Amino acid sequence: MAMAGSAIGLGNIWRFPYIVGENGGAAFILVYVFCCLFLSVPIFLAESVIGRRSGANCRGAMEKLAPGSGWKWFGYLSVFTPMLILSYYSVIGGWSLNYLWKGMTLSFVRSGTEAVGELFGGFISSTWAPLLFHTLFLLMTLLVILGGVRSGIEKFSKLCIPLLFVLIVAIAIYSVSLPGAKTGINYLIRPDFSKLTARSCIDALGQSFYSLSLGMGIIITYSSYISKKENLFAAGLGTAVSDLMFAILAGFAIMPAVFAAGIAPGAGPGLIFETLPFIFAKMGVTMPWLSSIVAILFFLTVLFAALTSSVSLMEVGVAYLVEEKKMKRPLAALTVFAATWAVGAVCSLSFGPLSGVKIFGNDIFSAVDLFCSNVLLTVGGFLCVVFVGWKMKKEDVRDEFTNGGTKRLNGKWFPFVYFLTRYAAPIAVGIIFIANFL
Ligand code: PFF
């Protein structure tokens, strides 16, 4: 559940719909499913093998499995990446918290359809409000982390994940029943392969990395807590399938509403924050209460999904500081909190007072996002499969994957999964990495 909680996040609700929108719909989803099952699942399994075999955080895992080697840098990278991601992830987490607040205070209904579009731009470009909500969101994350692995992360995920599925199904039912939703449904189920480009395939793989929390040590860290009896293959497939199902449900919750509102599906990162409030405002003219309830449910879903993921991002750094630097858990958590808060604050301000600051032509937020998703995640994922496919002994990998040979079905799948890990995944990820710079 915690792994599913890490996977299901803003990547599914906020990023997936707009990436699908930018890449033409159903055909892209098919490529995405393929990438997820045949490339991302093997990487997920490689990370779980490293985590459970070593029983340690990312840096410690490299010391145990490849002592004294240069692989320690892979360990450091896997600790650093999630902290950097958390810093800007919590800015968007803060936006969802603010939108939940807006839903509760009937802001969408009161703004009306004409003014609701300005809410988003006005909010993110201001100084204090986004900072405040970024801080609140990170504090919520900290609270769960302080609860510990069992009573914090595990309990929270067990409660949230089933709730998330119920909420997203309810919103999808509402969305597909809107007048004008049919075009949106067709967009998601009728593939038009003429819209597919090489870039779409790169985006599909990148998105499946992002969505499954790969290439950044999260799965290594969580797997280090998994018991030796647990079936890694089942856990990996279970996580991938629930993540996929959730992304597709989120597509059905958002795309029909986007088309019903007459908004372009390729509107980019602001998609859910700009289009859904428009629907809520429109509905609010005749049914203000129902509109507010749906708005609250929707942003509550976004918030919980974001929290179960941000917790996993924070845990990587905390596990490192506790196990390697022998810090007490609360101090470790506060240290990660302070560092990510500071970087996140700069990212948040880059939509307002710091909007003039550019890094290679991008504002600070986009530069950090691009650097993380296109460079750090791909390098991390690549090194991970190379480590398991080429550095670890095949017998050790098989032993971990099959629980010492006791899981016979896993044994049957092993040659295929190992082939994907050793050849297909590193080649595909390598191509994606190079293509990013073309
Ligand atoms: N997998 C989660 C999501 O899709 O939101 C969390 C996450 C992990 C987001 C890693 C971003 C990221 F780079």
Side-chain angles (χ1 to χ4, degrees), residues 6-12 85 88-89 210-213 216 218 309 313 377:
S6 168
I8 297 171
L10 292 170
N12 306 58
I85 291 179
Y88 74 90
Y89 198 78
Y210 191 100
S211 198
L212 273 179
S213 304
M216 68 192 87
I218 290 180
S309 299
L313 289 162
L377 293 193

Side-chain angles (χ1 to χ4, degrees), residues 36-100:
C36 194
L37 293 180
F38 293 100
L39 298 172
S40 296
V41 168
I43 300 179
F44 187 102
L45 293 173
E47 288 203 19
S48 2
V49 163
I50 296 178
R52 193 173 66 174
R53 187 93 191 152
S54 63
N57 66 89
C58 307
R59 170 68 191 92
M62 289 302 109
E63 206 41 55
K64 285 204 173 150
L65 302 177
S69 70
W71 282 99
K72 70 172 180 224
W73 294 107
F74 169 56
Y76 285 125
L77 178 76
S78 308
V79 174
F80 171 73
T81 308
M83 297 221 282
L84 192 57
I85 291 179
L86 178 61
S87 64
Y88 74 90
Y89 198 78
S90 56
V91 173
I92 312 166
W95 295 355
S96 31
L97 188 58
N98 177 272
Y99 268 61
L100 175 62

Side-chain angles (χ1 to χ4, degrees), residues 192-211:
D192 173 1
F193 289 98
S194 68
K195 298 244 177 73
L196 271 190
T197 58
R199 183 84 229 165
S200 322
C201 302
I202 296 172
D203 281 355
L205 188 65
Q207 171 61 22
S208 75
F209 259 53
Y210 191 100
S211 198

